[in-house]
Amino acid sequence: MVREGYPAASVEEYLDLVPPDQGAALRVVRDRLVAVVPDAEQVISYQVPTIRYRGAGLVALSVAKEHCSLHLMSPPLARSLAGTLTEGRLSGATLHFDAATPLSEATVRLVATRRMAEVDARLDH
C-alpha cells in the first residue's frame, strides 16, 4: 500500500500536501471516520493516513491521480460489500471515490462498524 509523492510525518501534513480538492474530500471522510470510531488514532502508516482502532489498523486513506481511496484493509469485508454500496467503486479491498463526492456518513459508518467488528473479533479471542 506504499504510495509515492506525498511523504508526510502526520495526517494533517499529508492532507496539506495532496491537491486541495482531494485533501478536502479526504478530510471529510477522515472526520466522518473519527466521529464513528471510538478513540480513533490518526497515524501515517505505509506513507498514508491510517485510522487505528484498539491499536490495529482499521482503514487508510490515499489519493491517486484520478481518485481518492478508502483502503478497507480487509478483502473479506470488500467481498461482503460488493454489489451493496451505492457510491464509490470497489477495486480489490479499496473503495475509490471522486474528490467532488466524498463518501457519505452512511457508507463510512457501514465500513467502519464492520471493520471494528473484525478487529474486535480478532482481539477478543
Side-chain angles (χ1 to χ4, degrees), residues 24-46:
L26 291 185
R27 278 186 173 87
V28 167
V29 174
R30 183 269 318 262
D31 292 348
R32 289 175 175 163
L33 285 163
V34 170
V36 171
V37 178
D39 302 317
E41 294 177 74
Q42 299 180 58
V43 300
I44 295 292
S45 182
Y46 294 95

Side-chain angles (χ1 to χ4, degrees), residues 76-85 90:
L77 174 60
R79 286 191 296 274
S80 75
L81 293 174
T84 65
L85 297 174
L90 275 172

Side-chain angles (χ1 to χ4, degrees), residues 13-74:
E13 184 181 359
Y14 181 94
L15 296 175
D16 288 342
L17 290 172
V18 300
D21 60 332
Q22 290 179 315
L26 291 185
R27 278 186 173 87
V28 167
V29 174
R30 183 269 318 262
D31 292 348
R32 289 175 175 163
L33 285 163
V34 170
V36 171
V37 178
D39 302 317
E41 294 177 74
Q42 299 180 58
V43 300
I44 295 292
S45 182
Y46 294 95
Q47 298 182 339
V48 296
T50 301
I51 302 295
R52 289 175 32 155
Y53 167 71
R54 296 183 66 190
L58 190 72
V59 294
L61 297 162
S62 71
V63 298
K65 190 173 192 171
E66 301 294 323
H67 60 264
C68 298
S69 296
L70 176 63
H71 303 274
L72 307 182
M73 301 170 80
S74 169

Side-chain angles (χ1 to χ4, degrees), residues 70-115:
L70 176 63
H71 303 274
L72 307 182
M73 301 170 80
S74 169
L77 174 60
R79 286 191 296 274
S80 75
L81 293 174
T84 65
L85 297 174
T86 59
E87 59 188 326
R89 301 170 302 285
L90 275 172
S91 176
T94 303
L95 183 56
H96 299 297
F97 59 97
D98 296 322
T101 53
L103 298 172
S104 69
E105 288 181 36
T107 294
V108 169
R109 180 175 299 280
L110 175 66
V111 168
T113 55
R114 288 196 183 177
R115 276 293 292 134

